C-alpha cells in the first residue's frame, strides 16, 4: 500500500499544481506565444494527435489568442524532423511562416519548457497538448519559470488515449525529479531571438 501511495505522489503533485490552469480552446486566455509539443510523425507528417494540437494552435492564432507559435520537437536525426513537419502543417492552415518559430531540440517536455525560457526568452505562453499530458507540461514549464496556461485538446478515448494516460503515471516521476533538480536540457546552445523578432514583426 505504501508503495502505491508513493508511486501516485508525483501524479497527485502534477494535478494539484496545474489543474486550475487548464482550459479549452474556447476559453483560453490571450498570451504572446503558443507552445506546441511534438507528438510523433507518420511518414514524415504529424501524427493524428500532433495534428490535433496544431489544429488548436491554428485556431488560437486565428482568434487572436496567440501571436506566435513555438513548435518544439525532436530533430535528433536527419530523417526525423518534427518541427519542420509542424511548421508545414501550420502554414498550410493559414499561420504565416514568420509567426512560427522552431525549436529543434525539444527532446522531451522538460527540455521544451526549459529551452522556451532560457533559449527563446518566453515568459508567458499557452501550452497546447492533450489532456493526459497538459498538466505535466504545465508543472514543468512553471518549474522552468514560465507563466503559462494549458489548452487541453479533446480526443476520443481510444487505445492511444488510454496508453497516454498510463504512460503519464510513469512520466510523472521523472517530471517531479526534473522540476526539483532543474537540469540543463540535453542541448542548450546559444540564445535565439526568433520569438522576439516574430513578436516584433
Amino acid at each position: 500500500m505504501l508503495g502505491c501511495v508513493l508511486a501516485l505522489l508525483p501524479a497527485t503533485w502534477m494535478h494539484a499544481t496545474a489543474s486550475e490552469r487548464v482550459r479549452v480552446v474556447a476559453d483560453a486566455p490571450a498570451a504572446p506565444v503558443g507552445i506546441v509539443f511534438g507528438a510523433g510523425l507518420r511518414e514524415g507528417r504529424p501524427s493524428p494527435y500532433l495534428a490535433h494540437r496544431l489544429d488548436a494552435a491554428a485556431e488560437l492564432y486565428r482568434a487572436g489568442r496567440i501571436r506566435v507559435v513555438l513548435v518544439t520537437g525532436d530533430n535528433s536525426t536527419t530523417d526525423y524532423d518534427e518541427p519542420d513537419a509542424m511548421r508545414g502543417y501550420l502554414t498550410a492552415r493559414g499561420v504565416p511562416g514568420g509567426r512560427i518559430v522552431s525549436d529543434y531540440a525539444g527532446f522531451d517536455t522538460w527540455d521544451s519548457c526549459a529551452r522556451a525560457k532560457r533559449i527563446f526568452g518566453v515568459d508567458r505562453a499557452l501550452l497546447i497538448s492533450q489532456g493526459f499530458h497538459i498538466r505535466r507540461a504545465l508543472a514543468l514549464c512553471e518549474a522552468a519559470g514560465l507563466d503559462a496556461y494549458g489548452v487541453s485538446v479533446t480526443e476520443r478515448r481510444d487505445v492511444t488515449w488510454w496508453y497516454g494516460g498510463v504512460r503519464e503515471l510513469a512520466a510523472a516521476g521523472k517530471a517531479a525529479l526534473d522540476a526539483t533538480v532543474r537540469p540543463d536540457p540535453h542541448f542548450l546552445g546559444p540564445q535565439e531571438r526568433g520569438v522576439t523578432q516574430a513578436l516584433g514583426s
Side-chain angles (χ1 to χ4, degrees):
M1 183 179 292
L2 178 61
C4 289
V5 170
L6 291 174
L8 290 173
L9 276 177
T12 303
W13 158 74
M14 284 195 316
H15 277 263
T17 299
S19 288
E20 291 186 359
R21 287 182 164 244
V22 177
R23 300 289 188 270
V24 295
V25 170
D27 66 357
V33 180
I35 301 177
V36 184
F37 300 86
L41 303 178
R42 291 187 181 177
E43 299 180 351
R45 298 189 181 97
S47 68
Y49 271 47
L50 179 52
H52 295 162
R53 297 179 187 186
L54 295 165
D55 288 336
E59 185 176 347
L60 288 164
Y61 178 82
R62 290 192 295 267
R65 304 288 180 86
I66 56 176
R67 294 160 52 203
V68 171
V69 183
L70 175 62
V71 292
T72 174
D74 188 349
N75 180 214
S76 55
T77 64
T78 56
D79 59 351
Y80 190 85
D81 188 343
E82 281 186 320
D84 277 356
M86 294 160 78
R87 170 184 287 274
Y89 189 97
L90 286 171
T91 56
R93 282 148 185 82
V95 181
R99 294 287 180 167
I100 304 169
V101 178
S102 299
D103 175 10
Y104 294 96
F107 301 132
D108 61 20
T109 303
W110 170 252
D111 281 11
S112 293
C113 292
R115 284 176 53 82
K117 175 68 176 180
R118 297 173 61 180
I119 301 301
F120 293 93
V122 177
D123 294 315
R124 189 160 56 92
L126 289 182
L127 314 181
I128 303 163
S129 189
Q130 274 74 24
F132 57 74
H133 173 248
I134 196 64
R135 288 169 181 80
R136 177 160 61 95
L138 275 165
L140 288 173
C141 280
E142 180 180 336
L146 273 72
D147 176 16
Y149 276 82
V151 176
S152 178
V153 178
T154 302
E155 296 286 352
R156 64 188 180 92
R157 299 197 174 191
D158 57 7
V159 172
T160 304
W161 190 94
W162 287 109
Y163 169 77
V166 172
R167 180 178 177 274
E168 283 303 306
L169 290 176
K174 179 181 181 299
L177 181 62
D178 286 338
T180 302
V181 177
R182 302 182 186 183
D184 284 340
H186 291 87
F187 181 78
L188 193 57
Q191 291 186 338
E192 299 187 18
R193 292 184 50 79
V195 170
T196 301
Q197 291 171 345
L199 288 171
S201 64

